[in-house]
Amino acid sequence: MKNGILNWNVDPVIFWITDSFPLKYYGALFACGLLLGFYIVRNIYKKENLSLDNLDSLLIYVIVGTVLGARLGHCFFYEPDYFFKHPIEILLPIQKIKGVYQFVGYQGLASHGGSIGVITAMILYCRKYKVQFLGLLDKMAVAVPVTGAFIRMGNFMNSEIYGKPTNGNWGVVFQRDDLIPRHPTQLYEAFAYLLIFGILLYMYKSEKIRNAQGLIFGTFLTLLFTARFIIEFFKENQEAFENNMLINMGQILSIPFILIGLGLIFWKSKKSHSLQ
């Protein structure tokens, strides 16, 4: 680091498992984030003396919902024209390069799509195992910000989804792309998500708040997507079509989540107050 500028040039590949199959920091951190989130939810179940039956199934539902939702979200929200022409690349981690399909990993996952995917997966899980939907979402909400923080750290290791130039003598130079000091927005988001995790964990310790099922989840939606909305002002647009927009796609997609979160907070707070 020199004059407040960090030069970042880390190889995103940890090592090559085979000549064509790499283990990347992003994938490793993504997996660690999911497992740590699952560990947090498991501990919550233990502390409440709830049955641990079907928790392994919950992890599978979360993984499938997250990856599938995030992938479809990116394809349809950010690059629909390309993927409508290359539908096989939507679900398979391959890309046609010089006329030959090659393994490239999933280069494009949208967090908003992942959120929709997880909520959809939770609906299906609750229907199958007869679990209270909002109660489960409250427990999940405590853990999800930790997973999100790990994913954003993976983006940082990949030198991707970075911020706009700082126009100063500080910032991070992502040397794999250019030599301009930029806002490390991946780290901004990771820090914000860890802070939100602390707030939600503190809330969950209150029996009164836990009993108002949906209040924690509403707070989660409001805080996380408000943080995302604000940080987007410092972030480079992901696609060229966003350059002519007043607010970018990430901000547009955040607004419904914020409104739903505020609605849940208002509804649950009013309902809790009326029962006093």
Side-chain angles (χ1 to χ4, degrees):
M1 180 179 289
K2 184 179 180 181
N3 296 326
I5 295 176
L6 174 64
N7 290 290
W8 190 252
N9 191 26
V10 173
D11 189 340
V13 176
I14 303 174
F15 61 84
W16 291 85
I17 299 174
T18 68
D19 290 340
S20 59
F21 192 86
L23 175 63
K24 295 186 177 182
Y25 285 103
Y26 178 81
L29 287 166
F30 198 121
C32 287
L34 284 170
L35 291 175
L36 182 55
F38 176 73
Y39 175 78
I40 293 170
V41 172
R42 186 180 181 88
N43 275 355
I44 290 175
Y45 267 70
K46 286 183 177 179
K47 289 180 180 179
E48 294 189 18
N49 294 317
L50 299 174
S51 173
L52 299 180
D53 294 343
N54 304 319
L55 267 188
D56 290 341
S57 296
L58 175 63
L59 178 61
I60 295 173
Y61 273 76
V62 169
I63 291 174
V64 173
T66 300
V67 176
L68 185 60
R71 183 57 178 166
L72 293 176
H74 174 82
C75 296
F76 297 145
F77 295 151
Y78 290 96
E79 297 185 87
D81 291 341
Y82 175 84
F83 285 103
F84 283 142
K85 295 177 182 177
H86 305 84
I88 194 173
E89 296 179 21
I90 294 177
L91 298 179
L92 296 180
I94 59 176
Q95 186 176 27
K96 183 173 284 189
I97 302 174
K98 296 181 180 180
V100 179
Y101 280 109
Q102 299 182 24
F103 175 86
V104 295
Y106 287 118
Q107 297 186 346
L109 297 172
S111 57
H112 296 90
S115 299
I116 296 172
V118 169
I119 293 173
T120 303
M122 292 303 92
I123 293 173
L124 298 176
Y125 176 85
C126 290
R127 284 182 176 177
K128 181 173 182 179
Y129 295 105
K130 311 303 179 185
V131 177
Q132 289 186 333
F133 180 58
L134 287 178
L136 178 60
L137 287 182
D138 280 346
K139 296 177 181 61
M140 293 290 297
V142 176
V144 167
V146 175
T147 302
F150 270 71
I151 292 172
R152 284 298 177 244
M153 286 188 280
N155 294 137
F156 184 75
M157 300 301 292
N158 263 5
S159 296
E160 63 186 3
I161 315 183
Y162 45 65
K164 297 175 181 177
T166 58
N167 296 320
N169 59 351
W170 68 278
V172 176
V173 175
F174 296 95
Q175 293 180 325
R176 290 180 172 268
D177 286 345
D178 56 38
L179 300 178
I180 302 173
R182 297 179 176 277
H183 289 280
T185 46
Q186 315 98 318
L187 300 184
Y188 295 172
E189 283 194 59
F191 176 78
Y193 294 166
L194 291 176
L195 180 60
I196 292 169
F197 163 69
I199 294 171
L200 297 176
L201 184 61
Y202 178 79
M203 291 178 63
Y204 204 87
K205 292 180 179 179
S206 167
E207 184 177 356
K208 180 180 178 181
I209 294 177
R210 285 201 308 272
N211 289 336
Q213 292 188 354
L215 182 57
I216 292 176
F217 180 63
T219 304
F220 157 77
L221 289 179
T222 303
L223 291 179
L224 189 137
F225 286 101
T226 297
R228 175 70 187 271
F229 187 93
I230 294 171
I231 293 171
E232 287 290 331
F233 284 113
F234 300 93
K235 190 184 297 183
E236 287 283 12
N237 292 328
Q238 294 188 50
E239 301 296 335
F241 73 84
E242 296 177 282
N243 295 333
N244 297 320
M245 298 167 63
L246 181 62
I247 55 176
N248 65 27
M249 182 60 73
Q251 291 170 310
I252 292 173
L253 294 173
S254 294
I255 292 173
F257 289 98
I258 295 171
L259 294 177
I260 292 171
L262 290 173
L264 273 172
I265 292 172
F266 177 78
W267 174 42
K268 287 298 178 177
S269 297
K270 185 177 181 180
K271 185 175 180 180
S272 178
H273 182 73
S274 66
L275 293 175
Q276 292 180 355

